[in-house]
Amino acid sequence: MRLLFKQRMFSWFDSYDIYNEDGDVVFEVKGVLSWGHCLKIFDPHGTELGVVKEEVFSFLPRFALYENEQCVGQIRKEFTFFRPSFTLDFRGWDIEGDFFEFDYRVTDCSGRLVMAASKELFRWTDTYVLDIADPADALHCLMVMLAIDAAKCSAGNDD
């Protein structure tokens, strides 16, 4: 399954439209006023599916992932010099990013690829392509990528 994750150009808070390969909106993400990033994920009918919320009292960006108002995991940026490094405490997944913070790979505990994400260059807004192995993981993969994008924004890396 392929999703196109595209930030809206004119919005007061972070907001994104998530499209499938046919160009249909499958998720809508709305930023809400809070301390730190708080991104709510909705289906096309307006039902809230999940929340990515930054935990503001931490040295490096850290985000809690919520589904049905229950915390289901956490992602945090680690201190490194040359490569972006994130620790993912969620479903036994691991994440690895490239030097330029454009490409990410998420694998499960057996090494199976869960998601490959790539940032599209030369766009007015942040745009990512998410290639997801199992469509049932789409919401969770989106939550992870939203947290990574928000962590880059918090660190001032809004390339």
Side-chain angles (χ1 to χ4, degrees):
M1 168 182 220
R2 177 170 278 188
L3 296 178
L4 180 67
F5 166 122
K6 187 173 183 177
Q7 185 174 26
R8 291 184 188 156
M9 184 172 290
F10 300 108
S11 66
W12 289 102
F13 302 104
D14 293 331
S15 60
Y16 307 84
D17 291 316
I18 315 304
Y19 302 93
N20 64 14
E21 294 171 286
D22 297 327
D24 302 319
V25 174
V26 290
F27 298 107
E28 184 179 355
V29 179
K30 296 178 183 177
V32 296
L33 182 62
S34 74
W35 293 98
H37 289 88
C38 182
L39 304 167
K40 293 189 174 195
I41 304 166
F42 299 91
D43 71 10
H45 308 291
T47 304
E48 185 178 309
L49 302 174
V51 177
V52 176
K53 183 158 180 44
E54 185 173 9
E55 297 175 0
V56 293
F57 296 110
S58 63
F59 177 65
L60 293 170
R62 181 172 43 190
F63 296 84
L65 309 176
Y66 293 90
E67 192 173 3
N68 299 320
E69 298 182 14
Q70 180 178 348
C71 185
V72 294
Q74 185 180 83
I75 182 171
R76 63 187 176 277
K77 186 164 179 139
E78 300 295 339
F79 182 76
T80 58
F81 287 108
F82 299 110
R83 287 180 74 122
S85 180
F86 292 90
T87 299
L88 191 54
D89 180 18
F90 183 60
R91 302 189 71 191
W93 291 357
D94 290 313
I95 188 162
E96 185 176 308
D98 71 348
F99 176 77
F100 296 106
E101 298 187 65
F102 294 148
D103 299 311
Y104 296 89
R105 292 175 47 86
V106 176
T107 55
D108 66 12
C109 57
S110 66
R112 180 185 67 90
L113 182 66
V114 174
M115 173 183 68
S118 299
K119 183 172 184 174
E120 291 191 341
L121 302 177
F122 309 113
R123 299 286 184 148
W124 288 103
T125 62
D126 287 345
T127 303
Y128 293 90
V129 175
L130 311 180
D131 287 308
I132 302 166
D134 183 353
D137 292 330
L139 174 63
H140 296 140
C141 290
L142 175 59
M143 292 168 82
V144 168
M145 205 60 226
L146 284 167
I148 290 170
D149 188 61
K152 289 172 58 177
C153 182
S154 291
N157 275 350
D158 228 8
D159 304 337

